[in-house]
């Protein structure tokens, strides 16, 4: 596997899992068909600006640290809070109505929230359609999206 693909996988694994050690990361990489030495993993961690941060339970785990990305996310969250007009579902999907020309920007905080059971997001000019893989979770998903507003 090429360096770029391996590093993309590492970023995905760190964002989706609570990884506390390089050994855990190595095991997850192997589960995904990637063999890498400890030295390679260590170099990748440094290049990708992955650091150990304290989690809510007080333990340390790897996290992607990117202040530019964080600053952009803060701006997008502000846009989301001011541009979203309504969040509801129609029994099949979640529908988010926004002011004109902001739906695409408002879809980013929803994507970043990594809400379970969301299997696709489509944004237009002033509406976001969110496909779900379990319709019984629609109310919960709506609540989670509304929590971004807080």
């Amino acid at each position: 596997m090429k360096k770029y693909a391996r590093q993309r996988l590492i970023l995905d694994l760190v964002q989706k899992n609570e990884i506390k050690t390089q050994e855990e990361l190595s095991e997850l990489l192997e589960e995904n068909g990637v063999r890498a030495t400890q030295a390679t993993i260590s170099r990748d961690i440094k290049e990708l600006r992955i650091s150990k941060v304290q989690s809510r339970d007080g333990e340390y785990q790897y996290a992607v640290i990117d202040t530019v990305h964080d600053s952009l996310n803060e701006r997008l969250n502000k846009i989301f809070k001011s541009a979203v007009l309504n969040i509801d579902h129609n029994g099949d999907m979640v529908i988010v109505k926004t002011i004109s020309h902001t739906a695409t920007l408002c879809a980013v905080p929803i994507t970043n929230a990594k809400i379970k059971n969301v299997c696709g997001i489509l944004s237009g000019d002033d509406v976001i359609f969110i496909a779900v893989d379990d319709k019984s979770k629609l109310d919960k998903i709506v609540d989670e999206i509304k929590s971004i507003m807080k």
Side-chain angles (χ1 to χ4, degrees), residues 2-150:
K2 301 242 181 202
K3 178 180 177 177
Y4 175 79
R6 182 186 65 247
Q7 288 186 345
R8 179 73 248 159
L9 177 60
I10 289 171
L11 287 172
D12 288 343
L13 291 171
V14 167
Q15 290 172 341
K16 293 177 182 174
N17 299 281
E18 291 183 10
I19 301 171
K20 295 179 174 75
T21 65
Q22 287 185 11
E23 184 178 319
E24 287 178 29
L25 179 57
S26 177
E27 289 170 6
L28 286 170
L29 285 168
E30 283 196 35
E31 287 174 18
N32 285 274
V34 177
R35 294 186 139 244
T37 65
Q38 185 276 330
T40 298
I41 292 171
S42 183
R43 245 187 330 272
D44 287 341
I45 287 171
K46 184 176 181 178
E47 288 177 17
L48 294 169
R49 300 186 63 207
I50 295 173
S51 299
K52 279 202 170 180
V53 297
Q54 193 169 17
S55 64
R56 290 183 182 148
D57 62 5
E59 294 192 33
Y60 286 88
Q61 68 187 46
Y62 285 110
V64 179
I65 305 298
D66 186 346
T67 54
V68 172
H69 188 260
D70 290 344
S71 173
L72 178 60
N73 282 340
E74 288 172 18
R75 289 185 202 158
L76 290 171
N77 285 340
K78 285 180 184 177
I79 292 169
F80 183 87
K81 291 173 186 178
S82 62
V84 170
L85 302 173
N86 189 42
I87 304 167
D88 210 347
H89 70 80
N90 65 0
D92 290 314
M93 66 176 63
V94 177
I95 301 167
V96 179
K97 300 223 181 213
T98 70
I99 60 176
S100 293
H101 310 295
T102 62
T104 301
L105 291 172
C106 290
V108 175
I110 298 169
T111 301
N112 289 345
K114 295 180 178 21
I115 299 169
K116 288 186 180 186
N117 301 108
V118 168
C119 58
I121 300 174
L122 178 67
S123 62
D125 180 57
D126 63 355
V127 68
I128 304 167
F129 297 104
I130 302 170
V132 300
D133 60 12
D134 183 351
K135 292 179 187 176
S136 70
K137 306 283 189 210
L138 281 165
D139 288 325
K140 185 175 190 243
I141 293 168
V142 167
D143 290 342
E144 288 188 53
I145 295 169
K146 285 181 178 178
S147 74
I148 298 169
M149 300 282 289
K150 297 175 182 171

